[in-house]
Amino acid sequence: MTEARTTEDRIIVEIHIAAPPEAVFDALTDPDRIVEWWGDEEYYETEEAEVELRVGGRWRAAGRNSDGSPFSVTGEYRDVERPRLLSYTWDPTWAEWEREEPSLVTISLEPETDGTRLTLVHEGFAGYEKDREDHAEGWPFVLELLKEHLE
């Protein structure tokens, strides 16, 4: 299982995916594909995604938790360099999120001979230990779902 490394401010997760960077990038940014892989009925299901893939463009993913309660996450793209870099703000709308301002997610995709090395850095957690712990547990799960979808 993939694991996260953390600092006071950051979560860092690396995973190898046996697919080319272009395929990984598309799975991360195509709204129809996002709905296919982002979620698991045991925990939550993403039911809709909206993507305006450009710097300054908005994105949104929404669905239901396993108990039926709704969730959504929104943000704005900061960097879009297909197929190697994607950066966006992260602003969840569930009550447990301690932060009042969005955090930042940066995903880099490096080609390897047998696929792609994906590195995710989620920053902005200084002073928000519970949020950091929750996301350090969540991101490896999400990236394993992406890996399963692409492989």
Side-chain angles (χ1 to χ4, degrees), residues 93-117:
T93 59
W94 55 84
E96 297 85 24
W97 184 245
E98 298 174 322
R99 298 178 52 84
E100 293 182 19
E101 68 280 347
S103 54
L104 183 67
V105 175
T106 302
I107 298 172
S108 61
L109 304 171
E110 295 296 326
E112 295 184 330
T113 55
D114 57 346
T116 302
R117 169 66 48 190

Side-chain angles (χ1 to χ4, degrees), residues 25-57:
F25 190 92
D26 291 346
L28 290 165
T29 59
D30 179 309
D32 294 330
R33 301 272 308 275
I34 291 167
V35 171
E36 290 176 7
W37 68 265
W38 197 356
D40 177 286
E41 63 186 31
E42 185 177 342
Y43 300 103
Y44 64 91
E45 297 262 3
T46 300
E47 298 171 335
E48 59 184 86
E50 301 166 12
V51 172
E52 186 181 356
L53 190 59
R54 63 175 177 76
V55 173

